[in-house]
Amino acid sequence: MTLTALVSGGSAGMRETAIYSALEQDLARSGVHLGTALILEGLPDGKAAKLPPGLEHDLDIKRIAPGCLCCIGNLTLRVTLNRLLRKPPARLYISIADSTHLAQLRAFLLLPPYDDFLEMTADLAV
């Protein structure tokens, strides 16, 4: 099962900073970095955080067009998730710009077929 967290709030750079901080904390706790994938909604805002040392090769970053991931961006999210889950990462962060439909997105990820692949963890709010 892929541990999955939804990340919302703030700017794209702030969300990426929060994700990288969580990855550094995981690495500090375990001493081992597990393969991680990021699905980032929207384009970088030019204020993206610097990737922590040692994570450059174990991070699979996918950017998808801005738009509500449970409404107009649902198909794009499904295609991206399906491709990632062919070789499932140990950890997945899904960064969304607008948290309005956060509960609907979480509910979608808990439905088949994703319920067999994803283990939802606590959200990261920026």
Side-chain angles (χ1 to χ4, degrees):
M1 295 282 277
T2 298
L3 298 175
T4 304
L6 301 176
V7 184
S8 64
S11 68
M14 291 170 69
R15 290 189 302 275
E16 287 181 46
T17 298
I19 292 168
Y20 296 158
S21 176
L23 290 173
E24 284 182 309
Q25 290 171 10
D26 286 347
L27 183 60
R29 264 192 304 266
S30 68
V32 176
H33 174 70
L34 303 174
T36 302
L38 310 180
I39 297 177
L40 305 174
E41 177 193 2
L43 300 172
D45 61 6
K47 300 174 188 164
K50 186 172 177 151
L51 197 59
L55 297 180
E56 303 88 0
H57 303 293
D58 294 327
L59 203 55
D60 185 5
I61 300 175
K62 306 290 185 207
R63 291 198 182 270
I64 58 177
C68 181
L69 296 182
C70 77
C71 297
I72 61 172
N74 187 277
L75 178 62
T76 305
L77 177 61
R78 275 194 252 177
V79 169
T80 304
L81 268 174
N82 291 347
R83 288 180 179 164
L84 276 174
L85 293 174
R86 288 179 187 156
K87 184 180 173 193
R91 193 92 168 107
L92 171 64
Y93 291 91
I94 302 174
S95 171
I96 58 173
D98 183 4
S99 62
T100 304
H101 295 156
L102 193 62
Q104 292 93 322
L105 179 58
R106 177 175 280 282
F108 165 75
L109 295 171
L110 291 170
L111 292 173
Y114 302 114
D115 62 332
D116 288 337
F117 298 96
L118 304 177
E119 180 181 331
M120 299 304 294
T121 62
D123 297 342
L124 283 178
V126 178

